[in-house]
Amino acid sequence: MTQINLERREAALKRIILDAGDTALRHFRSRQPGEFSLKGHQDFLTEADTLVEQQIRQAIADAFPEDALLGEETGSQTADASSLWVVDPIDGTANFARGIEHFCVAIAFVSQGVAELGAIYNPTSQELYMARRGRYARKNGLALHTANTDDARNATFELGWSTRVTQRRYLDVMTAILSQGANVRRGSSGALALAWVAEGRTDGYAELHMNAWDCLAGLLLVREAGGSTGPIPTDSEGIFNGWPVLAAAPGVADALARATGIPIAADDIPPVAEQTDAKSAAPRYDRPAVSLIASDFPGWGMDIYIGGSAGVTNLALLERYDIRTVINCAVNLDIDWVSSPETGIGAHLLNHGSGPIRYYKLGLVDGGGNAPAMLYAGYQLMRSALLQQIPDKPSYRNRERGNILVNCRGGRSRSVALVAVFMHLECPERYPTLASAIAHIRDKRQLHPDEWYETPKPELISLAQRAIEMEQALRAAGLGLAQPKTR
């Protein structure tokens, strides 16, 4: 598979798993106690399992109709692993069914029998784990590495349980682990257990039989995070029938292998081919320098625009759309608006004075690294900028509010997150959820589906949800904000 085709699937994977997680979370929040059935002994099934898998299957079929899919609930129409998506719509269904917030969506992409991409998403904690073979293992954009534990007596292992293995065998393995002095836990989600090994939260995971949909994404995460694993089949029969799984931090992998009888794998996975295609970058699309997101926004009487650096620095364009207020969301973008410099500026001083725009800067990082309340501060800044009354004095040149432009470098992520929070909180009857506001902005800003995984970034979606929760808590406490004033 060419690098550009793999990167298209990488972009789609992130979008698909986040959307699937949102669906799973909605069903989790609205579930009723006891609302599940059993496929077999201790094998839970909920309505959400089937619906989420159908959603994933349709999204993959729409984007990559030539690819096959192996899903936990609906199986596969083919035994071919040459270009195969492996899907567990809800791993940890027993937890899901009983209201325990420890479950996930797990998806891997397999090319020629080898897992090239893997993603695991816990929507309750908004933790997104992603891996690409030979490139990275990350959680919410930050690099992962397995634990540096080197003594089993200091280790915590997780031991998965399967009805396909006798209880005697399971208890023998547990006894062997405990006899080494290690702690044993069980969280009832094999995919999350593997993600935790990759992250260093636990030191190892073993299960005497797992299906591909439970473990392929997690095993790729562990390998790319520097961990050791047991053998991973690359033939169709092995992938479709399941196998014993081991994953551990390198310093305690041998101890876990001895206790379970699962050997450490030789490094027999084919190396990643050198990238030779100069066009293999993720797709970028042309779009307007600024985009009209909402006209005559209810209660505020102004138009809302979103743009990137090319739009916010085009004064003629801002004048054409009567944009007189700008909020810059990018910490890594500075703009010199000064058109009327102060007189008598010393040569050792930077240019300063007034410009043609009422300009406010929030300064978000596009991804991780922002303070938890920073996007909420942005919502307050946007609201306050629109409410601000400018004095009628010569030193205050820009008294007209006009329309507002919210910008970042590309007008695709940080600005989208801030405007979505504002639109949802200020007009919930039109935008009843954060997701509906983001969907509206994606449409108006011409953001293509294979960009959605980063428009906005998952970390910013988490901050946006936190901002909404903070504002709702203040309103519930009777600490409401001033009412908007139309111009």
Side-chain angles (χ1 to χ4, degrees):
M1 173 168 290
T2 65
Q3 292 298 310
I4 191 166
N5 285 336
L6 186 58
E7 286 172 3
R8 285 182 57 228
R9 285 163 175 79
E10 182 181 11
L13 170 59
K14 194 169 185 180
R15 167 178 56 85
I16 290 168
I17 200 167
L18 289 173
D19 288 345
D22 288 345
T23 300
L25 185 60
R26 286 197 301 274
H27 283 273
F28 180 74
R29 298 296 188 211
S30 62
R31 45 166 279 287
Q32 298 297 318
E35 202 174 63
F36 58 83
S37 58
L38 291 168
K39 294 183 286 184
H41 177 52
Q42 290 292 327
D43 193 0
F44 288 74
L45 175 67
T46 69
E47 180 185 19
D49 287 88
T50 303
L51 292 175
V52 172
E53 184 166 315
Q54 289 173 345
Q55 175 181 324
I56 295 171
R57 184 178 288 274
Q58 187 61 56
I60 290 172
D62 290 344
F64 309 104
E66 67 276 20
D67 291 354
L69 186 144
L70 170 63
E72 178 178 13
E73 306 308 331
T74 57
S76 175
Q77 303 301 315
T78 178
D80 182 12
S82 60
S83 187
L84 177 70
W85 296 83
V86 182
V87 174
D88 192 343
I90 298 178
D91 185 65
T93 304
N95 291 337
F96 181 101
R98 298 188 183 279
I100 300 170
E101 295 185 348
H102 189 73
F103 62 89
C104 65
V105 183
I107 305 175
F109 175 71
V110 175
S111 179
Q112 303 303 322
V114 176
E116 297 285 353
L117 303 170
I120 294 171
Y121 181 48
N122 180 348
T124 64
S125 61
Q126 296 188 319
E127 292 174 304
L128 174 63
Y129 300 86
M130 288 196 69
R132 178 171 171 179
R133 186 169 71 91
R135 299 292 183 85
Y136 64 80
R138 300 173 185 151
K139 185 182 89 168
N140 292 347
L142 300 178
L144 297 176
H145 201 282
T146 53
N148 58 9
T149 308
D150 59 5
D151 188 332
R153 291 172 295 181
N154 300 324
T156 292
F157 295 133
E158 186 162 348
L159 182 60
W161 177 74
S162 170
T163 58
R164 294 174 291 274
V165 177
T166 65
Q167 289 188 15
R168 182 70 267 162
R169 173 78 173 111
Y170 178 82
L171 292 172
D172 286 345
V173 170
M174 179 176 285
T175 300
I177 293 174
L178 291 172
S179 68
Q180 295 176 340
N183 178 40
V184 179
R185 69 180 305 278
R186 182 167 182 265
S188 298
S189 169
L192 280 178
L194 290 165
W196 282 23
V197 174
E199 190 178 359
R201 283 181 170 177
T202 58
D203 301 298
Y205 179 78
E207 187 166 338
L208 301 175
H209 184 278
M210 291 187 82
N211 289 309
W213 49 77
D214 294 316
C215 65
L216 271 181
L219 288 170
L220 180 60
L221 273 164
V222 172
R223 284 198 165 201
E224 296 304 318
S228 302
T229 73
I232 303 173
T234 57
D235 62 295
S236 296
E237 182 178 358
I239 290 173
F240 280 77
N241 292 327
W243 64 95
V245 166
L246 178 145
V252 291
D254 285 340
L256 187 58
R258 288 194 302 272
T260 60
I262 303 172
I264 302 297
D267 191 11
D268 54 1
I269 300 298
V272 176
E274 290 294 325
Q275 182 170 328
T276 58
D277 187 353
K279 298 181 180 180
S280 62
R284 296 284 177 166
Y285 299 95
D286 292 331
R287 57 179 51 87
V290 299
S291 300
L292 176 62
I293 304 302
S295 299
D296 193 20
F297 192 78
W300 291 90
M302 85 296 183
D303 299 341
I304 300 176
Y305 291 83
I306 285 179
S309 55
V312 72
T313 55
N314 188 332
L315 289 176
L317 194 63
L318 302 186
E319 184 176 356
R320 182 190 311 166
Y321 296 125
D322 192 29
I323 295 170
R324 299 173 184 266
T325 302
V326 167
I327 296 180
N328 178 7
C329 293
V331 70
N332 54 342
L333 177 65
D334 295 312
I335 302 168
D336 182 4
W337 290 106
V338 178
S339 58
S340 300
E342 297 285 347
T343 59
I345 297 177
H348 63 291
L349 298 178
L350 295 175
N351 198 30
H352 60 277
S354 62
I357 296 293
R358 287 170 58 176
Y359 174 61
Y360 306 81
K361 184 164 182 178
L362 174 60
L364 290 164
V365 175
D366 191 19
N370 295 299
M374 199 160 186
L375 197 53
Y376 181 62
Y379 164 67
Q380 294 279 17
L381 175 64
M382 183 171 176
R383 207 174 188 280
S384 299
L386 294 170
L387 288 169
Q388 191 173 43
Q389 301 296 302
I390 303 299
D392 186 7
K393 295 181 179 180
S395 59
Y396 294 89
R397 296 175 181 268
N398 301 304
R399 300 186 186 93
E400 295 296 322
R401 184 186 72 181
N403 296 319
I404 187 168
L405 169 67
V406 180
N407 77 276
C408 51
R409 285 175 62 89
R412 303 166 64 245
S413 183
R414 289 168 279 192
S415 52
V416 173
L418 176 54
V419 172
V421 169
F422 181 87
M423 293 173 71
H424 167 58
L425 287 173
E426 295 299 319
C427 191
E429 61 276 11
R430 183 175 294 181
Y431 310 101
T433 64
L434 175 65
S436 65
I438 291 174
H440 173 85
I441 295 169
R442 284 171 172 166
D443 177 59
K444 296 297 184 181
R445 185 65 180 138
Q446 301 178 28
L447 298 171
H448 291 243
D450 55 0
E451 298 177 283
W452 288 355
Y453 74 97
E454 61 178 5
T455 57
K457 297 279 177 58
E459 298 91 338
L460 292 170
I461 293 176
S462 298
L463 286 183
Q465 191 59 54
R466 182 181 179 90
I468 291 167
E469 292 168 357
M470 293 175 71
E471 175 61 18
Q472 289 172 340
L474 285 173
R475 292 181 184 181
L479 302 174
L481 297 174
Q483 293 301 307
K485 296 180 180 180
T486 57
R487 58 178 174 178

